Amino acid sequence: MQCLHPDLLQWQSLTSEVLKPERHMWLLQKRTEEANNLEGKMEGQDLKKNMSTPSLLGLLIYIYAFSLSGYLPCLGVFDLDGHENMVKEALSIINKHHDPIVDERTIQWRNGEKEVEDILDVFITIRDSKGEPLLSVDEIKAQIIELMIFQSLVDNPAHAAEWAMAEMINKPEILQKAVEEIYRVVGKERLVQESNIVQLKYVKACAREALRLHPIAPFNIPHVSMADAVVVGYLICSHVLLSLIGLRRNPWEEPLRFQLERHMNDDVVDLAELELRFISFSTGRRGCPGTALGTAMTVTLLARLLQGFSWSASLNQEQTDLKESMNDLFLAKPLHAHAKPRLHALMYGD
Ligand code: HEM
């Protein structure tokens, strides 16, 4: 039985094509190069230096922001809260940065100078059942922004790793155990690889606990179930949004404590939580298709930060400040911590 809107079916087949397991493996080499660059560039660098990133993060705020015209559409033309203007401004900055890359790449394909090397190439070359390009150039540009904002790809792994680090620096015994696990499994002579993730149970529990305690947004992407459903014993009526903040608290003891034991009893520790005792990647038909990629990025980032550096609160502070921002669920102030390299200099590249 086909019960999905054709546009949704197209969107789902597109995302499953772009994020299918073969592609995940195919892009491993590129992710490893990026991770290696990060290790080398860590000291003193601003990791959010891409000029379009602040605009993307700004857009995330407006996905959930209260807007009067959302309730009284007739007021939409007045843009009373200024959201429309701010979203337009942010989109124009993002487009200025991304459009030339898409345009140049499309020309390379037209001139036959290119082969499939990354997800942008996949978007350009993907065909429909008649062999025609599935997406126009404008649709490709829209898809890329969509992938970056709507799926929070741009910051979900960094958000989880930043919160995990902030929590762990305040709990040196946890930090120490995670580092010991990394040295036991991987050692000091080579950097953590994605293939090690399966053995890094304790590090994964740290990332999982960060995802539980610090979701990136207060509500799930506006997906609702069409019929009543039971989630962790709670009846959720149809058309109700799940609150990520509520779920991080309800089924847990001492829910606001960063406590790893709650995850260590399972034989396998995964970042995905299929029983929805909290929401990391969610589940079901609209669950995150980037679970494998999101897990790989989050755990590798966290593990490499722990492997490569000794961490402490920034100078003159005993603890990191764990206050949440007033406007969103990010740290009120970006994490500033003291990182001292502890591997051989050759491990940090040039
Ligand atoms: C730590 C990393 C990530 C987390 C925590 C995460 C979490 C989520 C969540 C909670 C949803 C909503 C599910 C729902 O409403 O039921 C979602 C949707 C989605 N995510 Fe992720 N995600 C992550 C990384 C990624 C990555 C790396 C990609 C792709 C490159 C991705 C692609 C998507 C897509 C395409 C959807 C929409 C699915 C749909 O609408 O059917 N995500 N993600």
Side-chain angles (χ1 to χ4, degrees):
M1 186 177 71
Q2 180 154 312
C3 54
L4 294 175
H5 189 278
D7 285 353
L8 178 57
L9 282 172
Q10 180 180 342
W11 157 242
Q12 289 198 319
S13 57
L14 186 65
T15 45
S16 51
E17 171 62 27
V18 171
L19 297 173
K20 64 187 181 186
E22 298 90 293
R23 298 241 182 266
H24 181 72
M25 287 317 293
W26 169 66
L27 289 172
L28 175 62
Q29 177 66 24
K30 289 204 182 302
R31 290 197 299 278
T32 307
E33 279 166 24
E34 279 300 311
N36 291 347
N37 284 341
L38 170 81
E39 204 78 15
K41 287 183 187 155
M42 255 291 296
E43 285 167 290
Q45 294 263 342
D46 179 359
L47 299 179
K48 289 179 182 164
K49 68 180 175 175
N50 181 328
M51 63 181 243
S52 68
T53 307
S55 305
L56 278 163
L57 296 179
L59 283 183
L60 280 182
I61 294 171
Y62 295 107
I63 291 180
Y64 299 101
F66 173 82
S67 166
L68 210 53
S69 47
Y71 292 86
L72 299 169
C74 58
L75 296 178
V77 280
F78 302 113
D79 190 20
L80 292 176
D81 26 38
H83 289 188
E84 195 175 327
N85 211 13
M86 287 186 250
V87 167
K88 274 188 188 153
E89 242 171 66
L91 277 174
S92 95
I93 296 177
I94 296 165
N95 290 340
K96 220 182 275 169
H97 188 69
H98 291 182
D99 288 1
I101 302 173
V102 178
D103 292 335
E104 193 189 323
R105 191 69 70 83
T106 315
I107 293 171
Q108 285 178 328
W109 272 101
R110 248 180 240 144
N111 296 344
E113 298 162 358
K114 193 76 186 68
E115 47 191 66
V116 179
E117 281 176 301
D118 58 24
I119 287 181
L120 178 53
D121 292 323
V122 176
F123 277 135
I124 295 173
T125 50
I126 201 163
R127 307 271 143 183
D128 64 14
S129 53
K130 292 182 202 128
E132 297 296 324
L134 188 64
L135 300 171
S136 68
V137 175
D138 283 345
E139 284 169 337
I140 293 171
K141 290 173 180 168
Q143 281 295 336
I144 285 172
I145 295 185
E146 184 116 335
L147 256 190
M148 296 188 92
I149 315 168
F150 188 49
Q151 285 68 248
S152 309
L153 161 70
V154 61
D155 216 41
N156 236 323
H159 177 83
E162 184 180 35
W163 269 110
M165 288 299 304
E167 293 275 6
M168 290 165 81
I169 288 170
N170 285 358
K171 294 197 165 46
E173 65 294 348
I174 291 185
L175 197 133
Q176 183 57 28
K177 275 193 195 166
V179 172
E180 279 167 17
E181 176 180 74
I182 293 169
Y183 287 159
R184 197 173 57 247
V185 172
V186 184
K188 295 185 178 182
E189 270 69 51
R190 59 186 190 91
L191 295 174
V192 173
Q193 304 297 319
E194 287 185 15
S195 55
N196 302 126
I197 290 178
V198 69
Q199 294 163 280
L200 295 175
K201 189 172 169 184
Y202 196 83
V203 176
K204 275 190 284 184
C206 296
R208 185 175 151 90
E209 181 65 344
L211 283 167
R212 179 193 73 82
L213 198 46
H214 303 290
I216 197 158
F219 290 100
N220 215 6
I221 293 175
H223 290 158
V224 293
S225 69
M226 304 308 287
D228 294 356
V230 175
V231 175
V232 220
Y234 295 93
L235 173 67
I236 308 291
C237 299
S238 64
H239 296 92
V240 165
L241 273 183
L242 288 180
S243 157
L244 273 60
I245 298 186
L247 278 174
R248 77 176 164 177
R249 293 194 180 160
N250 275 342
W252 303 97
E253 273 176 33
E254 292 194 75
L256 298 184
R257 269 190 63 198
F258 187 82
Q259 195 187 51
L260 300 195
E261 288 66 34
R262 47 179 123 245
H263 308 295
M264 293 301 285
N265 291 337
D266 302 340
D267 288 342
V268 178
V269 176
D270 273 329
L271 269 51
E273 166 54 34
L274 301 183
E275 290 168 32
L276 293 186
R277 288 172 296 169
F278 63 95
I279 290 187
S280 54
F281 297 93
S282 197
T283 182
R285 196 189 276 160
R286 304 306 300 270
C288 178
T291 302
L293 183 54
T295 299
M297 290 165 77
T298 308
V299 180
T300 312
L301 173 60
L302 180 60
R304 286 202 174 193
L305 291 176
L306 294 169
Q307 184 189 27
F309 303 89
S310 302
W311 291 92
S312 53
S314 64
L315 294 178
N316 309 325
Q317 284 191 341
E318 292 207 346
Q319 298 259 294
T320 56
D321 183 356
L322 296 178
K323 219 184 294 147
E324 265 175 15
S325 152
M326 300 278 280
N327 303 320
D328 50 44
L329 302 181
F330 289 66
L331 277 162
K333 290 191 207 133
L335 176 62
H336 277 198
H338 190 249
K340 196 167 144 209
R342 57 170 148 205
L343 301 178
H344 192 283
L346 288 175
M347 301 294 285
Y348 299 91
D350 48 11

